[in-house]
Amino acid sequence: MPDVANHPTLTAWAPRMLSVLRIMAGLLFLAHGTQKILGSPPMAGGAPLPDAMTLSWVAGVLELVLGALITLGLLTRPAAFIAAGEMAAAYFIGHAPRNFFPTLNGGDAAILYCFVFLYLSVAGAGPWSLDALRGRRAA
């Protein structure tokens, strides 16, 4: 049986897939920020935008800025670390009090975001990023 886990093509694509994971997670995170701050797409049920300087508004600003940085792969490690912290806080403040189980409290996405961003804060942005481009120029 062939050793699929160490296949050269898969191994060569691993860094690129790190970039794809970062870009998709960043875009989805950015969408949460644009919804809270810019009203696009509209909030579910026509809910109003959060008032400025509320916890939900601050979360939206963080999601907008950090989502853009993560998507572009710019300052990825610190941006992802802060985003992971925001998602941990969102889980414990907004979801955990509702129910112990993440599938019942609606917090499964917050947990997943938290750990994806924690991984990105350690792994970096990957080759398709502004961080990688800046690194090549500096060398």
Side-chain angles (χ1 to χ4, degrees):
M1 179 179 271
D3 185 10
V4 178
N6 292 316
H7 192 280
T9 302
L10 295 177
T11 303
W13 270 89
R16 297 176 191 130
M17 289 310 296
L18 169 61
S19 292
V20 171
L21 173 66
R22 174 191 46 80
I23 291 165
M24 291 311 303
L27 285 171
L28 290 169
F29 204 56
L30 178 63
H32 286 282
T34 60
Q35 185 178 42
K36 287 181 183 122
I37 301 303
L38 306 176
S40 179
M43 300 289 269
L49 297 178
D51 293 329
M53 306 312 283
T54 62
L55 191 58
S56 190
W57 183 85
V58 170
V61 170
L62 286 172
E63 291 158 6
L64 191 66
V65 172
L66 298 173
L69 289 172
I70 291 167
T71 299
L72 295 171
L74 180 63
L75 304 172
T76 304
R77 284 187 162 114
F81 186 75
I82 295 166
E86 181 202 348
M87 288 295 94
Y91 180 78
F92 287 109
I93 292 169
H95 298 283
R98 294 185 203 163
N99 192 295
F100 176 77
F101 298 102
T103 53
L104 298 177
N105 68 25
D108 44 352
I111 293 170
L112 188 57
Y113 272 126
C114 179
F115 282 93
V116 167
F117 291 143
L118 196 58
Y119 172 68
L120 291 175
S121 74
V122 174
W128 297 339
S129 65
L130 293 178
D131 287 343
L133 184 62
R134 289 174 49 214
R136 285 191 294 269
R137 285 191 179 160

